Amino acid sequence: MLKAILIDDEPDCVRLLAHELAVHCPQVQVIGQTTSSEDGLRLIQILQPDVVFLDIEMPRMNGFQLLEKLGDISFGLIFVTAYNEFAVKAFRFSALDYLLKPIDSEELQEAVRKAERRQRIDVRQIDLLRYQLQTHHISDKIAVPYQQGIIFLPVSEVLYCESDSNYTKVVATQNRSFLLTRTLREVQEILEERNFLRVHRQYVINLDHIKLFMKGEGAYLVMTNDVSIPVARNQKEKLIRRFGWL
C-alpha cells in the first residue's frame, strides 16, 4: 500500500481526490488530508507518507514554500493544479508528475503507477519548475530521469528522440542516450517550440543537428552523429519549408 497525504486549500478538491483514489486506486491509503499548508507540513513530518498530492497555489504558504521547509524530499510528489497549457510544458521540462483539475481517473491511475516506482526527486527539479512558472520562460535544459537520479540536459545537446512504444529514447551528443517514461507525442509537445520537428511517426529531430538531407524518393536525414533518420512523405515539404531549401 502507498500511504498518501492530500494537501489542497479547496475542500471540494480534497474530498473529490480522496474519493477518486478510493474508487480507482485501491493500492493507495490516504493517511492524512488537509486544506492548510501549515497542517500539511506537520502531517508530512509526523506521518512520513510514501506520496504527497500537493496544490501549488495556496494562501499563506504555497506548495513551493512548503517543500522548501521540508528540505530533503523522501516521498513521491504529485502536483495537483489548475494551471494552463504553458505550465504543462513546465512540468514536463522539470520531469515532475502533475494532475490537472478537474482530475481524470486514467491520469490519476498513471500518476499513482509512477509513484509506485518513484525515483528520488532532485530539489533542482523543483527550482526549475518554480523558475519557469514565475518567469513564464521555458528553460534551456530538460530534466531527464537517469538510473537513480536526474540529469539536467541542455536541449541543444539532444540530437533526436525515437519512439519506443510508450517510452521515448532520447539520443544526445557524446553517444549518450536516455529512456523516458513518456510517449513521443508528449516529448514532441515539450520540444516543438525549441527548433525540433517531428519528421516521422517514430522520430522527433533537432533541426540544428541535421548534417545531410536526401530529399528524393525514400527521403532521409543524416544527423551529426551519422545516424540516418527516415522522413515521412507528408513531412518532407514541411521540412523543406522550415529551412527555405530550394
Side-chain angles (χ1 to χ4, degrees), residues 71-116:
D72 190 38
I73 301 173
S74 58
F75 48 84
L77 179 62
I78 300 172
F79 287 103
V80 183
T81 175
Y83 274 106
N84 59 20
E85 184 65 27
F86 172 84
V88 169
K89 292 190 178 182
F91 279 109
R92 290 174 177 170
F93 255 78
S94 59
L96 289 163
D97 285 321
Y98 64 95
L99 291 168
L100 291 178
K101 300 176 183 177
I103 293 172
D104 177 84
S105 59
E106 290 185 4
E107 292 177 356
L108 174 62
Q109 290 172 317
E110 178 59 26
V112 168
R113 282 193 290 268
K114 288 180 182 178
E116 289 179 304

Side-chain angles (χ1 to χ4, degrees), residues 199-213:
V199 295
H200 188 273
R201 60 183 178 82
Q202 281 190 275
Y203 294 96
V204 170
I205 60 105
N206 186 339
L207 296 170
D208 290 331
H209 281 282
I210 295 176
K211 184 177 178 180
L212 177 68
F213 177 34

